[in-house]
Amino acid sequence: MDKRPIGVFDSGIGGLTVVKEIMEVLPDEDIIYFGDTARVPYGSKSKETVIKYTFQCIRFLLEKGVKAIVIACNTASAASLDVVQQSFDLPIVGVVEPGAVTACNVTKSKKIGIIGTEGTVSSGAYERAIYNIDNSVKMKLKACPLFVPIAEEGWQDTDIAKLTAERYLGDFRNSDIDALVMACTHYPLLEKTIGKVVGKDIRLVNPAYETAKVLEKMINSNGLKNERPHKAEYKYYASDNPVKFKKVGENFLSKPIGWVEKIDIEKY
């Protein structure tokens, strides 16, 4: 039994969709979340810079005494997961591989769609992860940048979201893909809208949920589970604008966020 918290970080607020899934899968675990809102987005930064930021985020979380870390950022997962796993002596999981594994497991047509930000799509992170699992899979990729501000405005169930999804994803209905990876932490908020547009024959893969399941296995296999039933504690930190973090974050979590503390991440 290990009472220490789980650490989660992201370049901004989107990683709270991963936190939401962890809360469901591991309800007795305390969580510390850091959103690097002062330096978002990571997708436009060089690999070297993203690795530097990732190390800073991990050092901050380690100072808080976490027992495992989730990199809830597609860009940071792709750029730095291997490096940090070798550099730090605790379990660390990213969001790319869990989504890729599930997509490969559920596809029957061997054709998978991937939607994400411009940075994630252009990085080729999911393509590499999927080819490493099954190099016979064909992929259709689409950047859907407007989904991020729609989610942050809380407009995910509006006509604006539906029209935007139709514009981005209408041609997915007529393709042969049968699995679609929502490769951005904001996109699970639009899952219902995306599902209506692409149709029921395409299975939506939510890497946030898949990552939470991988984390659960990792916690159990390393003997780190907090088996003491209690009301879990959640603490939130941001590198900029904690007021906006709280407002938008409550939409992402579907629950109130208490205090958000601003920290200077450059110190780490």
Side-chain angles (χ1 to χ4, degrees):
M1 176 163 150
D2 194 322
K3 297 178 182 178
R4 292 178 296 163
I6 292 166
V8 184
F9 77 89
D10 181 34
S11 59
I13 296 170
L16 289 172
T17 57
V18 181
V19 170
K20 184 177 182 180
E21 299 294 347
I22 297 171
M23 290 173 173
E24 293 290 327
V25 172
L26 294 165
D28 294 320
E29 298 291 347
D30 297 341
I31 299 171
I32 291 176
Y33 180 87
F34 171 64
D36 196 2
T37 46
R39 305 187 295 196
V40 67
Y42 282 7
S44 59
K45 312 293 193 298
S46 70
K47 182 175 181 177
E48 292 73 23
T49 297
V50 172
I51 291 172
K52 173 192 168 188
Y53 289 177
T54 301
F55 270 78
Q56 289 177 316
C57 295
I58 290 175
R59 284 194 288 263
F60 166 70
L61 291 172
L62 288 175
E63 188 182 83
K64 296 297 178 184
V66 300
K67 62 187 176 186
I69 289 175
V70 179
I71 304 177
C73 171
N74 286 278
T75 302
S77 295
S80 63
L81 182 61
D82 290 345
V83 178
V84 296
Q85 283 178 333
Q86 293 168 15
S87 302
F88 296 97
D89 187 22
L90 81 168
I92 302 176
V93 61
V95 290
V96 174
E97 188 172 344
V101 169
T102 300
C104 289
N105 286 340
V106 302
T107 183
K108 293 183 174 62
S109 67
K110 300 274 190 176
K111 295 187 172 90
I112 296 171
I114 299 163
I115 55 174
T117 63
E118 294 277 7
T120 296
V121 169
S122 63
S123 76
Y126 277 87
E127 289 168 285
R128 289 192 297 275
I130 288 171
Y131 282 141
N132 284 338
I133 299 163
D134 185 346
N135 61 13
S136 68
V137 169
K138 291 184 168 51
M139 281 168 266
K140 179 180 176 68
L141 289 88
K142 183 81 172 182
C144 307
L146 289 177
F147 283 169
V148 170
I150 286 171
E152 293 198 357
E153 288 291 343
W155 294 348
Q156 58 265 25
D157 297 318
T158 65
D159 288 342
I160 292 171
K162 186 173 184 298
L163 289 168
T164 305
E166 286 278 3
R167 187 65 179 261
Y168 282 145
L169 307 176
D171 58 343
F172 276 77
R173 279 194 302 257
N174 302 318
S175 66
D176 296 327
I177 70 164
D178 61 355
L180 179 63
V181 182
M182 296 182 292
C184 172
T185 50
H186 285 67
Y187 293 5
L189 273 75
L190 289 93
E191 185 168 358
K192 190 190 304 180
T193 299
I194 292 169
K196 285 178 181 176
V197 169
V198 300
K200 58 182 174 53
D201 294 331
I202 296 178
R203 164 81 176 270
L204 298 186
V205 176
N206 179 1
Y209 171 75
E210 306 304 335
T211 301
K213 296 300 289 182
V214 169
L215 175 67
E216 180 185 29
K217 290 178 184 173
M218 191 179 285
I219 290 289
N220 289 335
S221 64
N222 284 277
L224 297 174
K225 188 172 183 181
N226 185 355
E227 296 177 352
R228 175 176 62 95
H230 74 298
K231 182 175 173 56
E233 293 184 4
Y234 308 121
K235 295 181 180 178
Y236 304 93
Y237 299 85
S239 52
D240 192 36
N241 205 341
V243 174
K244 182 183 178 184
F245 181 104
K246 176 177 165 60
K247 179 183 176 185
V248 177
E250 289 179 341
N251 175 44
F252 277 56
L253 284 177
S254 303
K255 65 172 62 181
I257 289 177
W259 176 252
V260 181
E261 185 175 336
K262 182 179 177 182
I263 62 136
D264 179 7
I265 193 63
E266 295 288 1
K267 294 192 305 185
Y268 291 90

